[in-house]
Amino acid sequence: MKWVTRPGVHIDRAACAWLIRRHVDRDAEFLFAADPALAPDATPFDMRGVDLGHHGGDCTFETILRRYELHDPVLWKIAEIVHEADIEDERYDAPEAPGLDVILRGLSMICDDDRVLELTGPVFDGLFEYHRRALLLDRPPA
């Protein structure tokens, strides 16, 4: 399936692409366009006025979790981090957010959008595994 988002990938779009590829559509193909009408056969995300965007104070990552009924607590922990890095409203206590934000901003300065998604996939895989183990152990993993 094809998915489209705005060019200039940053935290929410990179996290959503990872979420889509790992938990919604393993064969996802990502396109970048300023207007979703430019990719009519693709599902738009993190674009103004689309279903899979910011709604009710949520970032797009949270919206996708809700729309696809993904209830994994580890994904919701990552959602807190992504939300704080993207919106910075201090809704959550996510100390990882500023560092993740800097990493994604830096990558977006030196890489094209496809490369940002390629590089950030393992970053989000690592976040997922760290928080999965923390949940299982009921403490930060060693």
Side-chain angles (χ1 to χ4, degrees), residues 101-136:
D101 182 51
V102 167
I103 290 167
L104 268 286
R105 283 182 192 275
L107 286 174
S108 71
M109 292 173 186
I110 62 169
C111 301
D112 68 24
D113 292 329
D114 287 316
R115 183 75 172 137
V116 170
L117 296 187
E118 178 185 337
L119 292 171
T120 57
V123 171
F124 288 106
D125 286 340
L127 272 174
F128 182 87
E129 185 58 22
Y130 178 89
H131 287 291
R132 186 188 73 79
R133 289 184 190 192
L135 183 67
L136 290 173

Side-chain angles (χ1 to χ4, degrees), residues 4 6 8 18 30 33 41-42 45 48 50 52-53 56 71 73 75 83 95 104-105 107 110 115 123 129 132 135 139:
V4 65
R6 297 174 288 136
W18 171 84
F30 296 102
D41 61 336
F45 68 97
R48 270 193 171 71
V50 302
L52 299 177
H71 303 295
L75 292 176
H83 178 103
L104 268 286
R105 283 182 192 275
L107 286 174
I110 62 169
R115 183 75 172 137
V123 171
E129 185 58 22
R132 186 188 73 79
L135 183 67
R139 64 173 169 75

Side-chain angles (χ1 to χ4, degrees), residues 46-76:
D46 203 39
M47 302 175 91
R48 270 193 171 71
V50 302
D51 183 50
L52 299 177
H54 285 222
H55 295 288
D58 286 348
C59 68
T60 304
F61 192 94
E62 293 164 296
T63 298
I64 291 173
L65 288 176
R66 291 183 202 292
R67 294 290 193 279
Y68 287 90
E69 298 181 3
L70 300 172
H71 303 295
D72 184 332
V74 178
L75 292 176
W76 280 97

Side-chain angles (χ1 to χ4, degrees), residues 86-98:
D86 191 48
I87 299 176
E88 299 179 19
D89 62 2
E90 299 181 23
R91 179 189 289 182
Y92 303 108
D93 178 24
E96 308 92 335

